[in-house]
Amino acid sequence: MTVAGGEARLLLGGPIASEIRLAVAEDVEAYRKRTGRSPGLAIVIVGRDAPSMVYLQQILKSCEAVGIASRLVEIEGEATERLVTDAIAALNADPTVNGIIVQMPLPPSIRLRAVIDAIDPAKDIDGIHPLNAGLLRLGYDGFLPATAHAAVEILRRSGIEIEGKRAVVVGRSAVVGMPAAFLLVRENATVTVCHSRTRDLEHHVRDAEILVVAAGRPGLITGSMLSPGVVVVDVGINVVGDTIVGDVDFESARHVASAITPVPRGVGPITNALLLAHLTRAAYAQEQAQPAATSSDARRPPAPDPSVTAAGGRAAPTRGHR
Ligand code: NAD
């Protein structure tokens, strides 16, 4: 376990993402045979924020590769909250749309909560609606935020033991830090959540056997803060000059950690693949729930997620990506 002075094992997202995408492509094909159409994803765009456009283009490309029908829904002109929520309501009612993603960040004039609340929880494939957040909090199966799901999935699929470990999550956002912490609790880790007001971050970080960092601060965590043998999942994506770096100083950390995710090529590719998996799962769940699934008042939770069981046990890894 201890690799002080050695080299950490690299936890690469690419091979795991390929495995997930392969399973998704099979599910998509089976869905198409059954229903005569492809599962559909809609991405709502409010203003063209350059970095998130790159991310969204990647999602569109991945959808095409696995046979998911995806489209951008652009709010033209001056976007008002009403225009955005009306567009979402139309997508909720559209039976060819199985999943909805809204580009973030929203312009400051539009309330995040109003937009999130407008999404049908059954189509909320990135787990941002309060119903899905609540299901996760209570240990039931709903849609998980894809990035938090990816941070834990990379550990599980790399064969890293989570149960009983001291896990520290740096970051408490609703979309990454907190859901990652809840997922780790589900996997029976003992979890500490650190944030911008945490006193003596280093003390907590040094205690970690598993460290998940999602702070959006390049170089926040250095090798000298880590315990030898720690497993590090770096969720951060920061543009520094013309490179992308994580929140962990990779060069110093890799000589102390036993395993570490690089940035890029770590968590990111899995996030993208899991979104496709969530979308396919939504399509199947809506098909099974016909005709209620096509109604915008169909405020029901999605079907169980086999990849992370409610009891915290592990599902079979073969098809457990959904
Ligand atoms: P956020 O800004 O919403 O939250 C950041 C969190 O970090 C906050 O809870 C804050 O309290 C904490 N924090 C900030 N400075 C800190 C410090 N000095 N010490 C301790 N805690 C501190 O960000 P987010 O949306 O949760 O995203 C976090 C990071 O993950 C960003 O770099 C983002 O780009 C990245 N991200 C990655 C993916 C992916 O697929 N890998 C997806 C989404 C976001």
Side-chain angles (χ1 to χ4, degrees):
M1 176 87 172
T2 301
V3 291
E7 287 262 326
R9 171 185 166 200
L10 271 191
L11 303 179
L12 293 172
I16 295 171
S18 300
E19 198 178 289
I20 294 169
R21 275 197 301 268
L22 210 65
V24 169
E26 282 173 24
D27 288 347
V28 166
E29 186 51 26
Y31 179 90
R32 263 173 18 91
K33 282 201 175 120
R34 231 167 57 201
T35 65
R37 67 177 182 85
S38 302
L41 169 70
I43 303 176
V44 179
I45 296 184
V46 192
R48 286 189 162 251
D49 170 69
S52 65
M53 285 309 293
V54 173
Y55 172 66
L56 296 179
Q57 293 298 345
Q58 281 169 357
I59 296 176
L60 292 180
K61 229 171 93 186
S62 320
C63 282
E64 199 184 332
V66 296
I68 290 172
S70 60
R71 62 172 134 131
L72 296 179
V73 178
E74 244 180 299
I75 311 291
E76 305 284 350
E78 179 100 2
T80 62
E81 198 170 288
R82 186 61 196 263
L83 278 176
V84 179
T85 55
D86 281 355
I88 292 172
L91 296 170
N92 286 342
D94 183 342
T96 68
V97 172
N98 303 109
I100 302 168
I101 300 174
V102 181
Q103 176 208 33
M104 302 288 171
L106 292 166
S109 58
I110 297 175
R111 289 173 305 152
L112 177 65
R113 181 68 201 272
V115 171
I116 288 176
D117 283 353
I119 302 172
D120 180 343
K123 297 189 177 185
D124 171 34
I125 59 160
D126 205 12
I128 61 174
H129 188 280
L131 178 77
N132 285 312
L135 289 170
L136 170 61
R137 166 69 184 78
L138 295 172
Y140 296 115
D141 291 305
F143 284 114
L144 303 172
T147 304
H149 193 182
V152 177
E153 201 64 14
I154 199 166
L155 293 170
R156 295 180 56 208
R157 288 188 186 239
S158 304
I160 307 280
E161 185 76 33
I162 303 175
E163 180 158 331
K165 293 281 172 63
R166 289 188 306 278
V168 173
V169 179
V170 182
R172 60 173 164 182
S173 73
V175 286
V176 191
M178 288 314 296
F182 287 128
L183 281 173
L184 288 165
V185 170
R186 269 199 202 188
E187 294 284 334
N188 297 317
T190 303
V191 181
T192 302
V193 178
C194 299
H195 45 79
S196 54
R197 307 285 174 91
T198 295
R199 265 184 281 141
D200 200 353
L201 178 67
E202 186 165 343
H203 163 81
H204 296 286
V205 167
R206 199 179 302 285
D207 194 42
E209 295 172 287
I210 293 173
L211 179 67
V212 176
V213 191
R217 300 279 182 274
L220 177 67
I221 306 296
T222 59
S224 65
M225 298 165 76
L226 303 173
S227 272
V230 62
V231 175
V232 179
V233 178
D234 188 353
V235 183
I237 298 178
N238 309 290
V239 181
V240 175
D242 48 12
T243 54
I244 291 179
V245 299
D247 292 344
V248 178
D249 175 45
F250 184 79
E251 270 316 301
S252 60
R254 76 190 173 107
H255 297 296
V256 187
S258 61
I260 186 167
T261 62
V263 178
R265 298 189 302 133
V267 175
I270 304 183
T271 302
N272 182 311
L274 282 174
L275 264 182
L276 308 183
H278 294 181
L279 188 272
T280 313
R281 176 176 155 232
Y284 273 96
Q286 286 160 37
E287 197 218 342
Q288 278 159 19
Q290 291 281 7
T294 57
S295 155
S296 56
D297 344 296
R299 300 248 153 190
R300 74 203 168 280
D305 185 338
S307 66
V308 182
T309 66
R314 288 176 181 202
T318 44
R319 307 282 285 175
H321 60 276
R322 289 188 206 146

